Amino acid sequence: MNVDYENLKTYAIKLLGERGVTLTDIANITYELQIKYYNNLTIEECLENVKQVLCKREVMFTVITGITIDKLAESGAIEEPLRSILLDDYSLYGIDEVLAYSIVNIYGSIGLTNFGYVDKVKLGKIGEIDRLGKNSGVCNTFLDDIIGAIASAAASRIAHAR
Ligand code: MG
């Protein structure tokens, strides 16, 4: 099979949008992460780096896989007990974070440190997504980690470039 990565990227961005996340939302998290180190940083530079992260194959595959699992859990297509584990965002599940590492790992240890931080303080859109996922029927178990990982990876790109 031949995979068209331009189409795959468009689909990944569309899926994020369907789940209420824009690339600017992700860029805002990157900005929050890096503004303390670079006081001339702009949202535009963060957005450009988010877009570059999304050009990576691993990132497209992770976005598509994670969001698809969230959607399947909501639709009832996943059997118990996994369905309830996903819908409840059970804290010891941890596979959502493991999947997101495949994004963070591309950019080395700065990415990992940032990822741990955004996950802990639930910066910006991540907090919003996390709260939404606590509503009955909505599953954002994978989505919050994916957003945090892309934002962290973009922050690492900025750090490496400067
Ligand atoms: Mg999660």
Side-chain angles (χ1 to χ4, degrees):
M1 146 187 206
N2 277 321
V3 177
D4 181 327
Y5 287 105
E6 208 41 56
N7 283 343
L8 201 68
K9 186 172 79 177
T10 305
Y11 178 57
I13 293 168
K14 188 186 117 197
L15 278 179
L16 285 167
E18 271 179 19
R19 307 301 287 180
V21 181
T22 65
L23 300 190
T24 304
D25 290 330
I26 304 176
N28 284 330
I29 300 166
T30 304
Y31 182 83
E32 290 301 318
L33 277 171
Q34 292 303 75
I35 188 64
K36 47 185 180 280
Y37 306 112
Y38 312 107
N39 55 19
N40 61 349
L41 185 68
T42 61
I43 297 288
E44 289 68 36
E45 185 179 349
C46 294
L47 184 60
E48 186 47 40
N49 278 278
V50 166
K51 286 178 180 167
Q52 290 302 321
V53 168
L54 274 160
C55 290
K56 293 269 185 190
R57 229 175 340 124
E58 299 92 325
V59 178
M60 301 174 201
F61 285 138
T62 303
V63 169
I64 292 168
T65 304
I67 293 177
T68 299
I69 297 171
D70 280 347
K71 287 170 70 174
L72 287 174
E74 283 175 5
S75 75
I78 293 178
E79 284 179 22
E80 294 294 358
L82 185 57
R83 179 166 193 240
S84 291
I85 289 169
L86 292 173
L87 284 175
D88 294 349
D89 200 359
Y90 179 59
S91 59
L92 297 181
Y93 176 62
I95 309 301
D96 42 348
E97 280 105 26
V98 173
L99 187 76
Y101 289 155
S102 58
I103 295 176
V104 180
N105 281 343
I106 311 171
Y107 297 95
S109 59
I110 306 174
L112 199 61
T113 308
N114 283 329
F115 180 65
Y117 177 73
V118 294
D119 187 46
K120 197 164 143 254
V121 304
K122 308 234 176 286
L123 267 183
K125 194 74 184 183
I126 299 171
E128 216 176 287
I129 289 297
D130 194 58
R131 280 190 296 278
L132 255 173
K134 303 266 185 291
N135 283 354
S136 57
V138 179
C139 183
N140 285 332
T141 293
F142 280 86
L143 183 64
D144 63 338
D145 298 285
I146 287 169
I147 295 167
I150 297 172
S152 304
S156 306
R157 273 191 111 255
I158 292 166
H160 286 305
R162 280 179 176 239

